[in-house]
Amino acid sequence: MSVRSNIDRLRETVPEKVKIVAVSKFHSVEEIKEAYDDGQLHFGESRVQELEEKQPLLPADIEWHFVGSLQRNKVRFIAPFVSLVHSLDSARLMREIDKRAAANNRVIPCLLQLHVADEETKSGFMPDECRKFLADGKWKECRNVQIAGIMGMTTFTEDTEQVRKEFRLLKSLFDEFKSEYFADDDSFKEISMGMSGDYPIAIEEGATIIRVGTLIFGERGY
Ligand SMILES: *Cc1c(COP(=O)(O)O)cnc(C)c1O
């Protein structure tokens, strides 16, 4: 199957209002170009060095999403061009993104990554930790970061009811934060959840952005 036909098939099953981020980590610039030529503009990468290498080789109007865990000392490499950081998970990281965004005269939109999975390995704020972070209010001082919503990953399991429950928890956290802190802020609107294995459930539960790799590009050769 070609990248193009994979994307075409995916688009048939995804409502137009849901944004598809094509997660291209470990895939070549040629494969990304094939998706781009089919009209795909949003791509996701999870490693700074890989993104840094690919970005200059590809069209400038691509919107790059950073979906992996982001180390503070690497923020400066992607700050000039990144469109949306999905993995904001600490006040210290936020201050660094703010500083690097300011140095580039821009505002960087970020999503609060929430840990809802039943797995130690997944990163993100625990829900209570995120509540504290928002209640504390210091984030408002970071004027070059725009908190644009939330992101989350579910447990890697065949149990679709558990996955659905975790998506529901993410949606309810979004609603809570929206009403408590962002009711007047139209830019707080994104719920990034759902990957190749579970995106249909994520859409049913309110995803506005899905992050799909394998279904578009095939298996990754790690
Ligand atoms: C790799 C990755 C994806 C895409 O996963 P697939 O199962 O290949 O669709 C989505 N989100 C994040 C954070 C990832 O690291």
Side-chain angles (χ1 to χ4, degrees), residues 23 25 46 67-68 151 153 195-197 211-215 220:
V23 179
K25 63 189 185 204
S46 61
V67 302
M151 178 274 223
M153 273 188 271
M195 318 195 333
S196 292
R211 309 176 309 270
V212 180
T214 309
L215 268 186
R220 289 177 286 273

Side-chain angles (χ1 to χ4, degrees), residues 109-144:
C110 296
L111 305 179
L112 299 166
Q113 184 177 353
L114 291 159
H115 186 296
V116 297
D118 197 9
E119 280 168 32
E120 294 285 322
T121 51
K122 301 218 159 120
S123 43
F125 284 111
M126 297 305 286
D128 272 342
E129 198 188 348
C130 195
R131 289 187 180 100
K132 276 199 201 110
F133 167 83
L134 288 168
D136 163 76
K138 285 211 186 72
W139 53 275
K140 292 177 190 161
E141 294 163 12
C142 293
R143 297 189 181 278
N144 293 75

Side-chain angles (χ1 to χ4, degrees), residues 1-189:
M1 271 302 174
S2 69
V3 168
R4 170 183 279 264
S5 60
N6 289 344
I7 291 190
D8 290 348
R9 238 173 329 124
L10 179 62
R11 282 190 188 127
E12 282 167 22
T13 69
V14 174
E16 231 170 283
K17 61 178 199 291
V18 176
K19 188 177 290 164
I20 300 170
V21 172
V23 179
S24 49
K25 63 189 185 204
F26 296 93
H27 291 284
S28 67
V29 294
E30 288 75 22
E31 290 168 286
I32 297 172
K33 189 67 180 10
E34 189 181 343
Y36 174 85
D37 289 338
D38 194 34
Q40 180 67 31
L41 276 183
H42 294 266
F43 291 87
E45 290 283 339
S46 61
R47 297 186 309 172
V48 168
Q49 194 186 341
E50 185 175 346
L51 175 52
E52 237 191 307
E53 284 166 11
K54 287 171 171 175
Q55 187 267 344
L57 304 174
L58 284 154
D61 62 342
I62 285 184
E63 305 232 12
W64 290 105
H65 295 244
F66 194 80
V67 302
S69 111
L70 181 55
Q71 288 171 277
R72 276 178 295 129
N73 61 1
K74 298 199 171 149
V75 171
R76 65 181 189 277
F77 300 116
I78 61 171
F81 65 85
V82 70
S83 281
L84 181 62
V85 173
H86 290 233
S87 45
L88 176 58
D89 63 357
S90 75
R92 292 174 81 194
L93 177 60
M94 185 169 189
R95 283 196 296 274
E96 178 65 18
I97 297 172
D98 186 53
K99 178 171 135 191
R100 300 297 175 179
N104 285 279
N105 288 312
R106 60 183 299 239
V107 171
I108 299 182
C110 296
L111 305 179
L112 299 166
Q113 184 177 353
L114 291 159
H115 186 296
V116 297
D118 197 9
E119 280 168 32
E120 294 285 322
T121 51
K122 301 218 159 120
S123 43
F125 284 111
M126 297 305 286
D128 272 342
E129 198 188 348
C130 195
R131 289 187 180 100
K132 276 199 201 110
F133 167 83
L134 288 168
D136 163 76
K138 285 211 186 72
W139 53 275
K140 292 177 190 161
E141 294 163 12
C142 293
R143 297 189 181 278
N144 293 75
V145 172
Q146 175 189 75
I147 299 182
I150 65 158
M151 178 274 223
M153 273 188 271
T154 56
T155 307
F156 186 71
T157 171
E158 300 281 301
D159 181 353
T160 55
E161 276 319 299
Q162 180 175 354
V163 167
R164 188 180 294 281
K165 262 194 348 219
E166 291 171 358
F167 284 141
R168 284 200 180 148
L169 174 56
L170 288 167
K171 172 69 163 73
S172 77
L173 289 165
F174 172 86
D175 291 341
E176 175 188 329
F177 299 160
K178 178 78 186 166
S179 69
E180 285 195 31
Y181 301 101
F182 301 99
D184 301 322
D185 181 353
D186 291 340
S187 51
F188 187 88
K189 61 177 197 297

Side-chain angles (χ1 to χ4, degrees), residues 86 111 150-152 170 190-194 207-211:
H86 290 233
L111 305 179
I150 65 158
M151 178 274 223
L170 288 167
E190 305 293 4
I191 304 176
S192 167
M193 59 184 191
T208 66
I209 298 177
I210 58 173
R211 309 176 309 270

